[in-house]
């Protein structure tokens, strides 16, 4: 075989050559198939033309080659390194040219046909995903080459197969002309990362088919028609259907929705093959300016989902995909945008089965061209249009039979141009049963919905009220936020404020949080690696870690918050009736009534349940609400702050969660809290260099607290700094206030504490200080006043800002160190972390944890772990009560150490547990890509007074 001296196909703007036309995907049939997944021989070269193609010949000895697993990425298997960029191309922008330094992986697989493989008929070799350009040989014969990494490609190979010793050779180039179309915000990971399958195609087998299954909500009937390239019959036993392909039939059916995903099993039978069908009847339309399914408008409570696994990258197995879907359903998510490419086709099967609305997005993004004002953007260059149309067709044809898919998306952040218009026209012509989406089409010339990303709350409200202006066509279309609430690090904040807008204005049909999972790569030393950890020339740091799941698929506090915010049943104090003891239950499902839920109540005093029972709630229809009477409050129980907690749980197990899984809950105050009171009766008693006051000992010179009872306390002082979150720091391109940067500029991370006076009164110790940063005139005049009743000691902190404070504070409270603390108990918000604009999931109760478990393991360390609305806490031998309730944080490292850490492995526990008792914290927001915290969540620099009561553990401290 001759030396190949040209690799022109790599830089060809065409989609490739040799592949069969796209067609519908189906998981199985009675035709034979052979998975070619598994161990392959592998050789890596530095350039596209460094090696000849003799490896593709039969008899080639690859015994000294390495081995890789397919599906997989070679850079995650010890060959080269991953690269992360958000939108910058990691190579010079000179379309369609790519660098000479072009890692190229030669893959070799030798296989035998199974003994029962039929001797007659054709065969097809299918690749479900290869990044970014592949050239294929079978038994020494070249089949072709292709681009379109997240799309299927098939080749006819029946005439080349042998019984034994088939040699499949695949050359994969990391960079190609196709890379210009695949600038999605993710790791660049070359390889054969989806399944490789050999499919027998018997004579008369199914080639392509299109299941049309509409639903008439007025008559309650569905109409089925299955178009097939090969004539056959369609049977659906549960519906008594037995018709020829192409023939419509109308029968009474139960419709498919994401809430009620009714699928009917059927069979498409042709002369040579039987293909199982899973049919969902539903009609998608744009009606009255709204997206409607089966005659009812939708409210998307969605997420953007990249495919990700911390060890395998985008090579996902079925169980991982199922885990994603189950987690979504259990957290009340009802929709997925497949950012920014079609997912593995099995994922859509799961969406059909369990019930999720899907925006299926094409494998297209050219975001890097924004750096040159979109000059030479491929989507506005006619030479690239065939490649764009090929990508659109391969998505639509593959996925057209999934009832879960309600919209086709042209791609993401690819600017505008004639190529996108051609894609939209083709899709509209091929499939009129779904809508077309593209966020970049701000005039909505080619799309059926007005879509935006990261619009702030005020703009979303204007859009909802129809005050957004713009072209007349756009003003008549529904609005969705295809990306919002950037879930990077601690956050996102402001979710509930968006949801209130969605529910207040019909035009606002919800949104999709960015995004589902952190793309951290498992690393033996760092824990999880992100951009820059592999020595990339260009990278965007931990911007790749912006998900509602941690890389190991543990839910983050952000996901728990989202679950609460979008819960399909709301429980509120009933303000419509003056009668005591009622709550209002509202059904916020779009289609389902409440018959699948069981309601219960519990009555809690200071976090402890004293009585509980079931709550009769009618099977409210979607959108309905009812006033429901609670039982009488339990008699003869101890006094204290009380709450009613109402829970809506699954009455029976479902396919996605067990019986008693809590879908929604609400908590209603029943009686007020008693604030801690300490009579100032103990007298100050000076000693040898110390001051004794009740159970506390102070340094006589500085007024610093030394001990409470037998518990040593160090470094108690006012604290205003927090290790900035990704959302505090904001994004480089934002012109809005980026508070993390402003705080550092002002020096709030290096505040100095000047002692002005230590005043020993008869029944109080008063310490006057000024807390301020170097280089600026602003500061906080701070007074600590200590009083005691002999058993407990009360600290009252008064702060008055000096100077021109034009930014909010990060936090305001005290911090101190304890030499020994592990178990933590508290009464207040829990069980997880919460901040002013991320507090909906916090339940008032009695909770316990270890100090270590209080920490939230964000991939890049930052402020985390605060518990909100804490009335009292016990740790390290102390009981602490707050007036008012406070934020509690405790960790084995200082804020300064947390602030300096790049990875969790940088955090080394010390001998001291640092406790933060905060009067307030600044909100979180989602300014890592979205808006900053709303003004009501700002911690303003203004006069403040707050108190804490300390006592050795065991004292009651309320009276």
């Amino acid at each position: 075989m001759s030396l190949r001296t040209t690799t022109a196909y790599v830089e060809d703007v065409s989609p490739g050559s040799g592949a069969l036309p796209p067609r519908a995907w189906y998981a199985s049939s009675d035709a034979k198939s052979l998975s070619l997944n598994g161990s392959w021989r592998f050789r890596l070269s530095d350039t596209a033309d460094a090696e000849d193609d003799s490896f593709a010949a039969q008899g080639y000895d690859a015994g000294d080659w390495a081995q890789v697993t397919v599906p997989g990425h070679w850079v995650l298997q010890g060959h080269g390194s991953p690269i992360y960029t958000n939108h910058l191309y990691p190579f010079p922008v000179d379309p369609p040219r790519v660098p000479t330094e072009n890692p190229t992986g030669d893959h070799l697989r030798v296989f035998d046909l199974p003994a029962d493989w039929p001797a007659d008929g054709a065969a097809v070799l299918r690749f479900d995903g290869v990044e970014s350009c592949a050239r294929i040989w079978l038994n020494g014969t070249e089949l072709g080459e292709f681009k379109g990494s997240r799309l299927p490609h098939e080749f006819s190979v029946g005439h080349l197969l042998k019984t034994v010793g088939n040699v499949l050779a695949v050359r994969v180039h990391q960079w190609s002309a196709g890379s210009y179309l695949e600038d999605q915000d993710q790791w660049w990971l070359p390889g054969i990362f989806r399944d490789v399958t050999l499919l027998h195609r018997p004579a008369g087998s199914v080639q392509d088919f299109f299941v049309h299954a509409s639903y008439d909500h007025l008559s309650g009937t569905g109409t089925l028609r299955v178009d097939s390239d090969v004539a056959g019959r369609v049977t659906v036993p549960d519906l008594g259907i037995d018709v020829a392909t192409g023939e419509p039939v109308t029968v009474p059916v139960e419709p498919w929705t994401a809430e009620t995903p009714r699928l009917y099993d059927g069979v498409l039978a042709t002369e040579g093959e039987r293909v199982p069908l899973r049919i969902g009847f539903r009609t998608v339309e744009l009606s009255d300016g709204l997206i409607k399914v089966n005659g009812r408008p939708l409210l998307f409570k969605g997420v953007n989902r990249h495919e990700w696994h911390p060890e395998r990258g985008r090579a996902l197995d079925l169980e991982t995909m199922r885990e994603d879907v189950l987690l979504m359903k259990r957290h009340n998510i009802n929709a997925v945008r497949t950012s920014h490419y079609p997912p593995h086709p099995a994922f859509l099967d799961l969406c059909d089965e369990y019930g999720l609305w899907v925006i299926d997005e094409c494998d297209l993004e050219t975001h890097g061209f924004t750096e040159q004002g979109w000059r030479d953007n491929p989507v506005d260059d006619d030479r690239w249009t065939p490649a764009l149309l090929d990508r659109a067709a391969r998505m639509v044809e593959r996925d057209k039979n999934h009832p879960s898919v309600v919209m086709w998306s042209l791609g993401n952040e690819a600017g505008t141009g004639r190529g996108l218009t051609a894609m939209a026209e083709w899709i509209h012509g091929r499939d009129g049963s779904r809508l077309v989406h593209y966020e970049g089409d701000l005039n909505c010339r080619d799309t059926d919905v007005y879509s935006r990303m990261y619009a702030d709350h005020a703009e979303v409200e204007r859009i909802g009220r129809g005050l957004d202006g713009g072209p007349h066509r756009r003003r008549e279309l529904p609005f969705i936020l295809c990306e919002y609430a950037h879930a990077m690090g601690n956050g996102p904040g402001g979710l509930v404020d968006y949801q209130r807008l969605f529910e207040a204005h019909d035009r606002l049909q919800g949104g999709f949080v960015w995004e589902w999972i952190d793309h951290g790569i498992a690393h033996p030393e760092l824990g999880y690696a992100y951009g820059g950890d592999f020595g990339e020339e260009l990278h965007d740091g931990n911007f790749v870690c912006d998900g509602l799941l941690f890389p190991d698929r543990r839910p983050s506090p952000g996901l728990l918050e989202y679950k609460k915010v979008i819960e399909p049943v709301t429980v509120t104090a009933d303000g419509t009736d003056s009668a005591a003891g009622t709550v209002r239950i509202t059904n916020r499902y779009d289609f389902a009534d409440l018959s699948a839920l069981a309601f219960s109540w519990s009555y809690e005093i200071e976090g402890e349940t004293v009585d509980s029972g079931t709550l009769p709630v009618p099977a409210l229809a979607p959108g309905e609400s009812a006033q429901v009477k609670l039982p009488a409050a339990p008699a003869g129980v101890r006094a204290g702050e009380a709450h009613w907690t109402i829970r809506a749980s699954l009455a029976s197990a479902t396919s996605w969660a067990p019986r008693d899984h809590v879908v929604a809950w609400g908590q209603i105050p029943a009686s007020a809290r008693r604030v801690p009171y300490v009579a100032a009766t103990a007298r100050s008693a000076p000693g040898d260099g110390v001051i004794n006051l009740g159970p506390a000992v102070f340094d006589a010179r500085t007024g610093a607290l030394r001990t409470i009872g037998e518990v040593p306390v160090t470094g108690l002082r006012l604290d205003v700094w927090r290790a900035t979150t990704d959302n505090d720091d904001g994004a480089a391109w934002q012109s809005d206030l980026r508070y993390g940067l402003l705080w550092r500029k002002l020096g709030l991370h290096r505040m100095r504490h000047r002692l002005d006076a230590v005043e020993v009164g008869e029944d109080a110790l008063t310490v006057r200080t000024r807390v301020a940063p170097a280089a600026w005139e602003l500061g906080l005049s701070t007074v600590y006043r200590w009083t005691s009743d002999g058993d407990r000691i009360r600290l009252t902190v008064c702060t008055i800002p000096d100077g021109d404070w034009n930014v909010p504070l990060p936090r305001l409270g005290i911090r101190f160190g304890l030499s020994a603390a592990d178990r933590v108990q508290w009464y207040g918000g829990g069980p997880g972390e919460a901040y002013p604009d991320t507090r909906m999931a916090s339940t008032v109760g009695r909770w316990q944890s270890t100090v270590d478990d209080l920490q939230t393991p964000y991939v890049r360390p930052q402020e985390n772990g605060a518990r909100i609305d804490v009335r009292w806490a016990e740790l390290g031998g102390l009981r602490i009560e707050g007036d008012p309730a406070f934020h509690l944080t405790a960790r084995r490292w200082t804020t300064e150490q947390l602030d300096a850490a790049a990875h969790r492995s940088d955090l080394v526990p010390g001998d001291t547990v640092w406790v933060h008792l905060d009067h307030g914290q600044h909100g979180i927001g989602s300014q890592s890509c979205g808006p900053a915290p709303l003004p009501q969540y700002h911690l303003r620099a203004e006069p403040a007074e707050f108190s804490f009561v300390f006592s050795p553990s065991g004292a009651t401290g309320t009276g």
Side-chain angles (χ1 to χ4, degrees), residues 379-437:
V379 305
D380 201 30
D381 183 335
D382 292 339
R383 294 176 301 165
W384 295 79
T385 299
L388 303 180
L389 290 173
D390 179 76
R391 289 171 183 246
R394 290 188 182 278
M395 171 182 69
V396 171
E397 300 296 2
R398 191 196 76 168
D399 297 341
K400 58 182 178 276
N401 295 326
H402 290 283
S404 57
V405 176
V406 294
M407 274 195 267
W408 303 115
S409 179
L410 304 181
N412 184 69
E413 292 177 317
T416 58
R418 299 185 299 276
L420 289 165
T421 298
M423 293 170 69
E425 290 175 347
W426 185 90
I427 293 174
H428 277 122
R430 176 57 175 149
D431 179 21
S433 70
R434 295 176 174 93
L435 307 183
V436 171
H437 165 273

Side-chain angles (χ1 to χ4, degrees), residues 360-380:
D360 199 358
E361 192 147 273
C362 195
D363 189 12
L364 173 62
E365 181 168 335
T366 64
H367 198 177
F369 285 90
T370 188
E371 296 297 322
Q372 53 200 61
W374 296 105
R375 186 173 61 256
D376 296 328
N377 185 6
V379 305
D380 201 30

Side-chain angles (χ1 to χ4, degrees), residues 561-585:
E561 177 80 356
Y562 195 36
K563 175 187 178 180
K564 174 61 180 170
V565 165
I566 61 176
E567 62 188 4
V569 180
T570 56
V571 181
T572 55
D574 193 348
T576 64
D577 192 281
S578 59
T582 62
V583 294
R584 181 155 294 277
I585 308 293

Side-chain angles (χ1 to χ4, degrees), residues 577-834:
D577 192 281
S578 59
T582 62
V583 294
R584 181 155 294 277
I585 308 293
T586 303
N587 179 358
R588 296 198 181 277
Y589 282 114
D590 293 327
F591 296 91
D593 64 22
L594 299 187
S595 58
L597 300 178
F599 289 78
S600 62
W601 60 267
S602 60
Y603 189 81
E604 296 124 17
I605 296 180
E606 295 188 352
E608 293 186 331
T609 298
V610 296
D611 202 0
S612 62
T614 60
L615 186 69
V617 175
L620 300 170
E624 287 187 344
S625 67
Q627 177 183 310
V628 177
K629 188 168 181 58
L630 294 169
V637 296
R638 63 185 175 87
E641 180 182 19
H643 289 87
W644 292 97
T645 301
I646 314 300
R647 295 177 177 86
S649 306
L650 291 178
S652 302
T654 68
S655 63
W656 50 269
R659 181 176 181 267
D660 295 333
H661 166 79
V662 176
V663 172
W665 59 272
Q667 197 167 50
I668 311 297
S671 65
R673 177 197 178 205
R674 297 178 301 163
V675 299
Y677 173 73
V678 174
T681 57
R683 299 294 181 256
S684 301
D688 185 12
V690 300
I691 300 170
N692 296 281
L693 182 61
V697 177
F698 300 85
D699 184 286
R701 183 178 62 85
T702 64
L705 177 66
R706 287 186 175 180
T707 60
I708 297 176
E710 301 299 320
V711 179
V713 180
T714 59
L716 189 148
R717 65 184 188 182
L718 189 78
D719 192 20
V720 300
W721 181 247
R722 72 184 185 194
T724 55
T725 68
D726 293 312
N727 289 307
D728 289 337
D729 292 334
W733 61 84
Q734 291 173 331
S735 58
D736 293 344
L737 293 176
R738 297 168 62 192
Y739 289 117
L741 276 63
L742 293 174
W743 293 338
R744 290 187 195 278
K745 180 179 178 181
L746 286 175
L748 301 190
H749 59 307
R750 47 176 176 79
M751 301 291 274
R752 300 185 180 181
H753 298 251
R754 186 185 72 204
L755 178 62
D756 289 339
V758 177
E759 301 169 357
V760 182
E762 183 177 343
D763 60 0
L765 170 65
T766 302
V767 180
R768 302 183 185 277
T769 69
R770 187 171 189 270
V771 183
W776 301 94
E777 63 177 357
L778 53 78
L780 294 167
S781 296
T782 305
V783 177
Y784 308 89
R785 187 171 188 270
W786 298 90
T787 57
S788 176
D789 62 3
D791 297 319
R792 298 166 295 164
I793 186 147
R794 181 186 187 100
L795 167 64
T796 299
V797 181
C798 297
T799 64
I800 298 175
D802 305 327
D804 185 15
W805 283 91
N806 56 11
V807 296
L809 295 169
R811 73 184 332 143
L812 181 66
I814 61 170
R815 81 168 181 181
F816 55 87
L818 298 177
S819 59
D822 184 30
R823 303 297 303 180
V824 184
Q825 299 184 65
W826 74 96
Y827 167 51
E833 76 175 22

Side-chain angles (χ1 to χ4, degrees), residues 320-339:
T320 299
M321 291 184 265
R322 189 185 308 276
E323 184 180 355
D324 279 348
V325 171
L326 293 178
L327 280 168
M328 290 176 190
K329 294 290 291 186
R330 291 168 185 168
H331 289 86
N332 295 328
I333 289 164
N334 73 0
V336 178
R337 175 180 175 226
T338 69
S339 54

